[in-house]
Amino acid sequence: MDKLKRFTQGFIIICLVFSLFGGVFGVSAQGDNPSANQFTQMDSINTDWVIDQTIPESYQKTAENDTYLLYVDHTTLGFKVVDKRSGYVWHSTLDEKSVEDKLNKSWEAFAKSGISINYLDSKAASKRISITNAEHELTVTPIDMGVDCKLTFTDFGISLSMILKLEPDGVSIEVPFESIQETNPEFRLAVLHLYPFFGATRGGSVPGYMFIPDGAGSLIRFADTTKARNILYYRYYGQDLGMIGRVPWDPFVNPPYVISLPVIGMVHGYKQNAFITVIEKGASYAEIQAHPGGILTNFNFIYNAFIYNQSYFQPTNRAGAGVTTIQQKPNQFDVKMQYRFLTQDESDYVGMAKNYQRYLLEKGVLKKPDRSNKNNIGIRLEFLGAEKEKVLLWTRSISVTTVNQMEAILEDLQIYNPEVIYYGWQPLGASSMPPQALKIDSSLGSLEDLLTLSSNITESGGNLYLYYDPQAAIVGEGGYSKRYDLAMAITIVELFGYHRGKPNNYLNIDALSSNYSSLTQDVWNYETIGLALDEIGYNLYSDFKSGNFFNRESAIQRYREIIAENNDSLAFYSPNAYMFDFMNAYFDMPVSNSGYIYTTDMVPFLQIVLAGYIPFYGKALNFSSDMKMDLLKHVDFGVYPSYFLTHEPTARFLKTNSNWIYTSGYEQWEEEVKATYSWMNALLAPVIGEEIVARDVLQPGVVATTYANGKQVLVNYTNQTVQIEGTTVNALDAALREVLP
Amino acid sequence: MKKKLCFTIVITVILIFVPNSQAAADSPYTTWAYGPNGALVLTQDAYSPYAEIDLSIKSAEDMFITPEGEIYIADTGNSRIVEVNQEFKIVASYGEDFLQGPSGVFVDKNGNIYVADSKKNAIIIMDKDGNLIKELGRPVEPLFGKSREFLPRKIVVDARENLYIISEGSVDGVVQMNTNGNFIGYFAANTAEMSLRMVLQRTFLTEEQLAQFIRNEAASPSNLAIDNQGMLYTVTAGTLPQKSIRKFNIAGINIFPEIIGSNNFRDIDVSDNGLVVAVDADGHIFEYDITGVLLFQFGAKDTSGNQRMGTLTNPTAISRHQDYLYVLDKDKNAIVVYSTTAFAQTVHAGTRLYMEGFYEEAKPYFEEVLDYNGLFITSYKAIADAYFKEENYAKALEYYRYAEDRNGYSQAYWEMRNVVLQNYLGTALMSILGLSILRSGVDRLNRRYKWFDPIVAWFKDLTRFKLIDDFVFMFRFIGKPADSFYYIKKDKRGSLLFAVLMFIWIAVVRVLSLYWTGFVFNPYASPSDIRIENEILMVFGIIALWITANYLVSTISDGEGRVKDVVIGTAYSLFPYALFALPIALLSRVLTFNEAFVYSFSQTIMYAWMILMLFIMVMEIHNYFLSDTLRNVLITLFAMALFVLTGYILSVLFGQLFDFISAIIQELGLRG
């Protein structure tokens, strides 16, 4: 007893000493915190900079409207836009290089030309040429509000035409696919670079940043040096499985986020000038190329490059030998991009997000929500229903959460508006293919029970969704034909990937369409059940099966058609922008980004775009290693919480594919879920259905997000209590207050 | 009172250990923990990436962090040692004048800096201001070895200023020297591995042929660390992952168990709180407790040049300081820092208490860990141990079962059985005595009045059914085996139908015994691990092989048995297994490791009896002498092996043929 007492005393002393160390570390690390790029930095208005605003003689005034003036240079295809509201001139190309710009001839041409291309020769080697350093023929024809340019690189036989027009919101650029010609079989058009140097700045001379829609959103502030080692590439909507065949899967690696919004942007001077580039058509074959100053040149630039032909490795025998060859036909897609300009107060990432939101509203993608009686926030509760395991000589389904158990859990939780997802409802559970009509596994209960439960949930303001992955053809399962239903890569192998612990091949469009229609038609008969669609929202692959070829762009069209036919009540997991108009809820909303070391801030761009229109729910908090920090980020970004719940503990389904759900037992999580929900509800219920109008970092680690109805959420990430104009926010906590609009 | 004190301690500790780390990015790696069946399972992140600090170093090979947090880096490319403070600024650099290629660095408690210089092949000792104290070259003592080279790469120093040096390619182990440069001895050598293939090679090949092979020498250790009790830990690349980390006591014996490791470890670090951490060339970081149980494995390499925070390109050194892990990356010229998450802090706190024997104090931590991740096996073991200590044996049993700890399960079961025995043994003995008195009474009465005679007669009558007769015939083998085989041969008793039924029953018994054997003795931790099809196939396969081989061999060597005889004979020979395997399995459910002898002995007797019966069968059915029987049995076994080998070769060939044809069909299908 004595020994114990002495030990505990010593232990407490050691703990206190450690915490002191830790505390000192925590506080001192505020100033130059090496991990500051996981938060948003403070911004201040800095007008102490200047960028050359002259418009050289070679530029002809081409169009004008209420807000902008457009000048075009007919030899380089560069253009300049003057924002009449501020008089700021946006340059699309470099006019004069200075000595400090370390630009060699190729880069100088790249910077001075509006259009550059990469071509592939017969050996599949890629080279870049620009207008100003290659033999070309260029005809520029004035059209209403713009110009129509036809460009041919004569040495290589590659030609294209581009239409540049002034729109009410900015400038639009189109490159129709019919205009692309490759007359010389030796040379193929690989990549089209459109206005790479639009808005380029030198080093740290202009205070501002570029924006990349990575995860929630990342910023790279302009500086003279950067931690990046090479040009940064990000493929919109993820890699094309159809070109690579299988995802190189390493169980130890957590893959980066998929770029889900076709938007990039830049700020020149906080609250002074900004623009975003929105790709309307062709994003599936576009790639963001970003270059912070200091890698190859001292310029900061970010732009979209469009991929028409790629080389790939075709194995010709089982040993792995093969040839590198170029795809037979170029990717068929039209390009349509819009530069949208912002000025004054709109010129930050919040304004950029609001501008994109306005764009989506105009297109009818986002619709004004029904503001009826939602007084409490939602919560996503995903239940694992059944899984299967091998027993003796056959497989049997293990019921992990039956319908009645789910009902009991929901009653016990007493939470309003739950978005309940039932994963593994199908016969034989989560690792088998879903049926063509709605039937649930017999061990889970009867269909009537499920329907009763779903109508109860709907009445109390929530929704019941059944999990459905339309693209997956689970390896080793029945329910699809291996010969006729699978999509193939360009290397004539079946596409392969892993998702949720299951190895998958992928269905081609026809099979997907027929499965989807037959299941949804049955499900919509029961009006209270919805479907939560996974993978189809973000996974986009082209299908090279002969006779059934589908490229990514047409896959988007077809997916949209298929879903538009049957879309009563749909929610999506991490959808890309082309699915936004179908979703009633967004699941697995990221609250961070992919953690690239060269980014300087993490910002909730995606959340600001959707706030007020679609409710979004984060990733399951069961898997969080730092619950406190994750919850603060949820409140900061307006993201509602999610949990995985099961009636049985994990040990029960350990030997199944779903053992990646390594903690979910309701008995363990009950208290946590209730506590989190009530804490978050108190903070976010007053701002349900409201748009975010502003977000400011008041001091390092203290963030204020303002909503359209005048309420503001204050989040304190630091270890000290702070006082903001009379409102106290405790350490690692959040508070809500009113601000005058 | 004790409980309340513990409770307050726990709350205090939990509150204090709220992490101060600011970083909460999604990690670029997944984290794995030790799960059931020795497999790795996913878990929450134990460490999250905190920062990547670029430093003006080049190709740095080693790093050492003092308890005060000063970071010393062997800046190999710039031939110096740099000192970095906690704000990650270089505050000093030492040894530019006299170092050429420092690849190992160690700092003792006085601040003296010990450097292993790989270009000079010398050990250089500096004081805390960087002044040269001593330079030690190749030891001159004959014990060192005439032809051995001295290629120092890494160094640690113990409390008595003994230097332990990794000399590159040294198969004799770690070089131990003192500060005067005297060679004390070799220490901590690895062992060479012998395999069956090598044994065969050595038996059959000539000297010249053997000389062609690479000599089977022990791999030389690649890096080392020392803990605060002076125990040395080495990591060895290029050896079996299970033996890649070794911990040596004073006598130089490896006391680390077999671990889940890697075959290309780069560095190891042991911290005062009893945690061992190691990094390998693939960018994976492994964390163990002091007894070698894997706690976490995580880490990823930056293969696509993505530059995500927390990825490694070429890690060369790892060190822990307080709640942070520091990894030195040679290609990035940076230190990648990871901070401990709340989850890992709970695990560490629980492990610390558990290692010191405070099971009950550790229990609440491990219960919290189970909330985080229900598959964390070490937690179950620790909680089971705590329950055992509290004498809550039922709970301990349950948790030992989850933890797959047969030893613990056996002990807990013993305790529970003990209680039952103490309570009921007396009653049981009395009732057995009573029953036996009753039975002898009934017997005597029966002999007098013959009450049971009609029943016995009825039973005897049943034997007119052939199958029943065959069944009863089986018991005759217990007493008169040779005679009974003769009856089979003469078609007097036994039938093919019964033989087939017997074989099926054997297969059933095999499967059931796997299911019914108690957990303590069962090779499978859980019923779903058992592959039923495999077991059944194996039983039938072996029996069929035996019968075929035996008949064929016997035919050639003048055996008299017909196929029918061999089949029926084999069936009856297996009766020990058929009769006793299930009861033994059921018996094993109430035995513990203390009575392991009973279980293994009964199994041995059963199998030996079976083999004896088979032997007698061969002798009687084929009418052999003893020596002929022996020869026949050996040749039969050899023939069985040949059958298996031939079958394997054929299946490989057919498999290839099948692949070839299906590939052609596929090609035709795609191109046609």
Side-chain angles (χ1 to χ4, degrees), chain A residues 1 3-5 7-9 11-12 14-16 18-30 32-39 227-230 232-233 249-257 316 318 389-394 483 488 492 494 545-546 590-598 619 621-630 633 649-651 654-655 659-664 667-669 701 717-719 732, chain B residues 1-2 5-6 9 12-13 16-32 36-37 40-46 48-54 68 86-89 284 297-301 305-310 321-322 324 326 331-334 341-343 349 352-353 356 358 361 365 367 370-375 380 402 404 511 515 526 528-533 536 659 662-663 666-667 669-670:
Chain A
M1 185 56 209
K3 192 171 167 197
L4 176 66
K5 207 161 143 197
F7 164 79
T8 51
Q9 279 172 353
F11 198 60
I12 291 183
I14 296 175
C15 291
L16 288 170
F18 265 124
S19 71
L20 251 153
F21 263 118
V24 165
F25 210 141
V27 168
S28 72
Q30 284 293 352
D32 63 328
N33 184 355
S35 64
N37 74 341
Q38 279 311 304
F39 297 87
K227 281 191 164 195
R229 303 258 168 104
N230 37 252
L232 318 168
Y233 301 93
W249 185 70
D250 182 349
F252 287 101
V253 169
N254 197 10
Y257 284 105
T316 50
R318 276 175 191 260
E389 73 172 352
K390 209 154 182 299
V391 158
L392 283 181
L393 294 162
W394 62 92
R483 188 164 156 63
M488 293 223 144
I492 315 293
E494 283 146 9
K545 191 154 187 179
S546 69
V591 291
S592 80
N593 55 18
S594 305
Y596 298 108
I597 57 169
Y598 45 75
K619 291 202 192 147
L621 285 165
N622 309 51
F623 310 132
S624 158
S625 56
D626 195 345
M627 189 70 85
K628 203 66 203 145
M629 202 50 86
D630 279 341
K633 286 193 183 169
T650 317
L654 181 57
K655 303 272 192 289
N659 58 6
W660 54 274
I661 309 176
Y662 47 82
T663 176
S664 57
E667 274 180 36
Q668 292 170 325
W669 285 95
Y717 290 100
T718 70
N719 292 320
L732 296 171
Chain B
M1 170 58 199
K2 189 163 146 185
L5 185 59
C6 290
I9 297 169
T12 321
V13 168
I16 289 177
F17 277 117
V18 164
N20 295 308
S21 66
Q22 302 267 336
D26 274 7
S27 332
Y29 46 76
T30 50
T31 304
W32 298 76
N37 272 340
L40 292 179
V41 291
L42 270 175
T43 187
Q44 287 92 341
D45 283 333
S48 47
Y50 179 73
E52 186 174 305
I53 315 289
D54 286 323
E68 295 78 39
Q86 282 293 307
E87 274 85 53
F88 302 113
K89 301 275 179 292
H284 294 148
Q297 180 184 348
F298 66 97
K301 240 182 151 173
N306 266 343
Q307 292 189 274
R308 293 170 73 193
M309 180 135 82
H321 179 67
Q322 293 177 349
Y324 295 86
Y326 299 79
D331 287 351
K332 287 192 186 195
N333 291 330
T341 60
F343 171 50
R352 212 166 20 238
L353 285 169
E356 292 171 16
F358 297 106
E361 290 80 357
Y365 287 99
E367 280 170 350
L370 284 181
D371 278 348
Y372 275 106
N373 185 350
L375 304 173
Y380 287 115
Y402 281 133
E404 297 177 359
V511 170
Y515 270 102
S526 101
S528 49
D529 288 338
I530 304 172
R531 291 264 148 274
I532 306 290
E533 323 82 64
I536 295 179
D659 276 346
S662 71
Q666 216 183 34
E667 285 278 332
L670 288 171

Side-chain angles (χ1 to χ4, degrees), chain B residues 212-520:
Chain B
Q212 305 273 358
F213 288 96
I214 297 176
R215 291 176 53 201
N216 181 27
E217 290 179 328
S220 58
S222 3
N223 210 329
L224 77 178
I226 196 161
D227 70 7
N228 56 0
Q229 290 171 343
M231 308 269 242
L232 200 69
Y233 297 72
T234 63
V235 281
T236 310
T239 183
L240 291 172
Q242 302 92 289
K243 303 207 180 143
S244 44
I245 300 184
R246 295 170 198 236
K247 173 177 171 177
F248 293 94
N249 61 11
I250 313 278
I253 315 263
N254 174 20
I255 57 177
F256 228 47
E258 292 208 347
I259 55 166
I260 297 180
S262 156
N263 67 352
N264 54 5
F265 274 126
R266 288 275 176 88
D267 192 16
I268 184 172
D269 181 78
V270 185
S271 51
D272 291 342
N273 53 11
L275 296 170
V276 177
V277 73
V279 66
D280 75 1
D282 295 324
H284 294 148
I285 299 176
F286 295 73
E287 183 179 87
Y288 307 87
D289 69 18
I290 204 84
T291 63
V293 173
L294 179 74
L295 292 175
F296 300 110
Q297 180 184 348
F298 66 97
K301 240 182 151 173
D302 188 3
T303 42
S304 38
N306 266 343
Q307 292 189 274
R308 293 170 73 193
M309 180 135 82
T311 52
L312 299 168
T313 345
N314 192 353
T316 48
I318 187 168
S319 266
R320 181 197 303 271
H321 179 67
Q322 293 177 349
D323 281 335
Y324 295 86
L325 281 181
Y326 299 79
V327 179
L328 180 67
D329 192 312
K330 182 171 159 173
D331 287 351
K332 287 192 186 195
N333 291 330
I335 301 180
V336 181
V337 188
Y338 302 88
S339 65
T340 317
T341 60
F343 171 50
Q345 289 190 348
T346 317
V347 172
H348 293 164
T351 309
R352 212 166 20 238
L353 285 169
Y354 178 76
M355 286 301 149
E356 292 171 16
F358 297 106
Y359 296 162
E360 281 138 65
E361 290 80 357
K363 181 149 71 108
Y365 287 99
F366 285 111
E367 280 170 350
E368 200 184 322
V369 171
L370 284 181
D371 278 348
Y372 275 106
N373 185 350
L375 304 173
F376 209 80
I377 288 292
T378 356
S379 322
Y380 287 115
K381 171 131 184 10
I383 295 178
D385 284 339
Y387 276 126
F388 190 87
K389 207 163 164 192
E390 282 170 27
E391 299 181 7
N392 184 346
Y393 298 115
K395 274 283 194 183
L397 199 74
E398 188 191 328
Y399 278 88
Y400 279 124
R401 182 70 195 256
Y402 281 133
E404 297 177 359
D405 181 0
R406 287 177 176 76
N407 250 316
Y409 188 91
S410 165
Q411 287 180 347
Y413 186 75
W414 191 93
E415 295 287 342
M416 286 178 71
R417 190 183 64 180
N418 204 18
V419 170
V420 169
L421 281 178
Q422 285 182 342
N423 287 341
Y424 297 111
L425 189 60
T427 333
L429 283 176
M430 291 306 290
S431 41
I432 289 178
L433 188 62
L435 277 175
S436 61
I437 293 178
L438 188 66
R439 190 198 142 146
S440 60
V442 167
D443 258 348
R444 216 176 283 163
L445 288 172
N446 183 41
R447 246 178 275 143
R448 206 129 170 251
Y449 296 113
K450 313 240 181 263
W451 285 335
F452 292 134
D453 271 355
I455 303 176
V456 173
W458 183 76
F459 268 118
K460 280 223 161 65
D461 196 39
L462 275 179
T463 52
R464 63 184 154 88
F465 293 114
K466 189 74 167 75
L467 270 181
I468 310 272
D469 178 52
D470 294 336
F471 179 67
V472 171
F473 181 49
M474 186 166 71
F475 293 97
R476 200 164 183 281
F477 280 85
I478 298 179
K480 309 192 188 91
D483 206 31
S484 309
F485 281 120
Y486 181 74
Y487 278 7
I488 294 177
K489 211 167 144 184
K490 293 297 171 198
D491 283 337
K492 292 225 176 114
R493 293 187 80 169
S495 65
L496 266 181
L497 176 59
F498 184 74
V500 170
L501 287 175
M502 187 64 152
F503 291 140
I504 294 178
W505 171 247
I506 300 273
V508 168
V509 164
R510 170 78 184 145
V511 170
L512 280 180
S513 69
L514 282 175
Y515 270 102
W516 287 353
T517 307
F519 174 65
V520 179

Side-chain angles (χ1 to χ4, degrees), chain B residues 68-283:
Chain B
E68 295 78 39
E70 296 144 356
I71 306 174
Y72 289 80
I73 299 179
D75 189 0
T76 320
N78 292 329
S79 307
R80 61 182 182 157
I81 306 290
V82 294
E83 183 187 333
V84 177
N85 67 4
Q86 282 293 307
E87 274 85 53
F88 302 113
K89 301 275 179 292
I90 296 184
V91 295
S93 90
Y94 309 112
E96 287 97 334
D97 303 330
F98 42 82
L99 292 175
Q100 284 182 15
S103 66
V105 65
F106 186 91
V107 179
D108 70 9
K109 55 188 184 314
N110 301 321
N112 296 326
I113 308 171
Y114 298 77
V115 180
D117 192 317
S118 57
K119 288 233 173 67
K120 278 178 144 181
N121 285 329
I123 302 295
I124 292 159
I125 309 179
M126 300 185 270
D127 69 10
K128 60 180 173 10
D129 299 312
N131 304 316
L132 175 68
I133 300 180
K134 214 174 276 199
E135 190 170 317
L136 307 172
R138 184 181 182 285
V140 298
E141 287 80 356
L143 192 58
F144 184 73
K146 215 162 47 168
S147 55
R148 290 275 185 256
E149 294 183 355
F150 183 59
L151 306 167
R153 298 289 175 262
K154 308 281 177 197
I155 180 168
V156 296
V157 182
D158 72 7
R160 278 164 302 152
E161 292 190 2
N162 287 320
L163 312 179
Y164 297 91
I165 300 156
I166 296 266
S167 175
E168 188 173 324
S170 159
V171 301
D172 300 305
V174 174
V175 173
Q176 190 179 355
M177 292 168 64
N178 64 17
T179 44
N180 295 327
N182 303 116
F183 176 67
I184 300 180
Y186 284 108
F187 189 69
N190 287 331
T191 51
E193 295 294 324
M194 202 54 150
S195 70
L196 180 62
R197 193 165 115 184
M198 283 186 233
V199 168
L200 289 173
Q201 281 171 357
R202 297 219 175 152
T203 324
F204 292 112
L205 296 179
T206 65
E207 284 294 321
E208 293 89 26
Q209 281 171 321
L210 275 177
Q212 305 273 358
F213 288 96
I214 297 176
R215 291 176 53 201
N216 181 27
E217 290 179 328
S220 58
S222 3
N223 210 329
L224 77 178
I226 196 161
D227 70 7
N228 56 0
Q229 290 171 343
M231 308 269 242
L232 200 69
Y233 297 72
T234 63
V235 281
T236 310
T239 183
L240 291 172
Q242 302 92 289
K243 303 207 180 143
S244 44
I245 300 184
R246 295 170 198 236
K247 173 177 171 177
F248 293 94
N249 61 11
I250 313 278
I253 315 263
N254 174 20
I255 57 177
F256 228 47
E258 292 208 347
I259 55 166
I260 297 180
S262 156
N263 67 352
N264 54 5
F265 274 126
R266 288 275 176 88
D267 192 16
I268 184 172
D269 181 78
V270 185
S271 51
D272 291 342
N273 53 11
L275 296 170
V276 177
V277 73
V279 66
D280 75 1
D282 295 324

Side-chain angles (χ1 to χ4, degrees), chain A residues 239-261:
Chain A
Q239 289 297 325
D240 184 2
L241 263 185
M243 289 301 291
I244 53 183
R246 58 167 57 199
V247 179
W249 185 70
D250 182 349
F252 287 101
V253 169
N254 197 10
Y257 284 105
V258 161
I259 304 278
S260 60
L261 298 177

